[in-house]
Amino acid sequence: MATASMGMIGVGTMGSALALNIAEHGHHVALYNLDGATVDALLARAGDLGPRLAKHESVEALVAAMAPPRAIMMMVPAGAPVEATIETLLPLLAPGDTIIDGGNSDFRDTQARTARVEAAGLRYLGIGVSGGEEGARHGPSMMVGGTGAAWAPVAPIFEAIAAKYEGDPCVAHLGPDGAGHFVKTVHNGIEYADMQLIAEVYGLLRDGENRAPADIAPLYHRWNAGALQSYLVEITGHVLDAVDAETGKPVVDVIVDKAGQKGTGRWTVIEAIRMGQSASIIEAAVGARVLSSERATRQVAAPILAEAGGERHGVFDEGDLESALLVSRIMAYAQGFRILLAASEEFGWELDYARIAEIWRAGCIIRSALLDDIAMAFRGDLPNGRLILSDHFAPLLKEHIGALRRVVAQATLMGLPVQALASAV
Ligand code: 6PG
């Protein structure tokens, strides 16, 4: 077998999808997973790509099978598993080798790990990978942090496997050490906010107008053909159309209304506040997830606090809802970019905001029509670096803010929760 261009440690959902993507682009990949059966399962479904994938029984065997300089990517859960993998790799690698962390790591951990690994004469990259399993398999958006020397040798592989927006690879070297993971964290903060805003509008139609999910889906399909075009609005339409095969009920009604979180949304809020920035919409989204996770408390509370006032039923203007979603989405992105600006100043990263918007246009979870406008705004003349003051966004906000106010006012009087929409006002 030819020498692998990439080692992959951690071959779970994301690791295996990335390995297949890399193999599809002509590279051999050396694989190791704690549970070897996971690698066997990947090889069993790899088809034509199988000959480019090699299973190894230990990290030592994987390293020994690769020719230096090696590039070894970790796709293991953030935190202790990343730490343990680095500890195992350090004594096995030689100067010129690169360790890559492709998980959702805390950027502060990535900063410390870069310093430690580079002090040992090796190279380190922290890469935020967005797009879930589908993205990883067919083209993710990737945010890279590390030295130019670490990035240059592996850049061609990542550019080949990245999502393409009109031919432009959605991957960029954004800054040193933790810069890539920081940008991915803020991406996720925006993702939390966008999901919450979409869900709140759904809640108004569901609880306020008593409409069935399948009756609400066409609205999201229609919105996805307009200014709100985005992956998240698109899949919301599909999710609301989906029917549970077992019960015949709408899928959203058979899923327990209790959401977890891995931490990136919360980190965005913590870092924003630490730097004196407002992340109010993202904070509202994190808070809403916390409330949703406290299902037992909500069940106890329901009869005690029932009918605490508010007429829960009424009709919302659909044009107002679309405008409200558009304005609040712009504000969520604007908050995200403000946080990036503050971090860039604090850490001296010199982030390229237009480039960040460009690599978010395809592959990642928050990809949307808006991002092309945001990229153009950053490429143009932006008063004080503030997105909402641009020639494009200022008039849009002025045109639609009235709709957002009306929706929030009506929802509040009806006793329906709109914490993220309200924060956007
Ligand atoms: C992505 C996603 C992905 C995942 C996050 C957030 O960009 O592909 O952000 O990384 O959704 O881990 O997970 P939680 O929503 O569970 O915190």
Side-chain angles (χ1 to χ4, degrees), residues 183-223:
V183 174
K184 174 63 178 18
T185 296
V186 172
H187 164 285
N188 282 21
I190 297 170
E191 171 186 307
Y192 274 50
D194 209 22
M195 288 166 67
Q196 178 63 21
L197 294 165
I198 289 169
E200 286 179 9
V201 170
Y202 163 75
L204 299 181
L205 295 162
R206 186 71 204 271
D207 300 326
E209 296 191 9
N210 262 328
R211 285 164 71 171
D215 183 40
I216 299 170
L219 257 185
Y220 283 88
H221 292 310
R222 200 172 79 217
W223 290 344

Side-chain angles (χ1 to χ4, degrees), residues 104 129-132 184 187-188 191-192 261-264 289 365:
N104 277 323
V129 179
S130 179
K184 174 63 178 18
H187 164 285
N188 282 21
E191 171 186 307
Y192 274 50
Q261 52 184 303
K262 296 194 198 90
T264 43
R289 280 216 206 179
I365 302 293

Side-chain angles (χ1 to χ4, degrees), residues 305-348:
L305 298 176
E307 304 308 323
E311 169 50 61
R312 284 182 73 86
H313 299 292
V315 177
F316 288 89
D317 182 284
E318 288 182 2
D320 273 2
L321 291 176
E322 183 178 15
S323 294
L325 206 42
L326 181 63
V327 170
S328 52
R329 170 180 276 181
I330 293 169
M331 294 308 295
Y333 277 103
Q335 285 189 346
F337 277 96
R338 280 296 299 162
I339 297 164
L340 292 180
L341 198 126
S344 184
E345 281 170 7
E346 175 149 337
F347 298 104

Side-chain angles (χ1 to χ4, degrees), residues 46 81 91 268 271 313 367:
T268 307
E271 295 302 333
H313 299 292
R367 60 186 184 262

Side-chain angles (χ1 to χ4, degrees), residues 213-236:
D215 183 40
I216 299 170
L219 257 185
Y220 283 88
H221 292 310
R222 200 172 79 217
W223 290 344
N224 193 47
L228 285 170
Q229 191 283 318
S230 58
Y231 170 68
L232 286 171
V233 166
E234 179 191 342
I235 61 167
T236 301

Side-chain angles (χ1 to χ4, degrees), residues 107-108 110-111 114 126 145-146 175-183 349:
F107 85 105
R108 291 180 189 282
T110 304
Q111 287 182 316
T114 305
D177 50 60
H181 277 144
F182 187 88
V183 174
W349 285 339

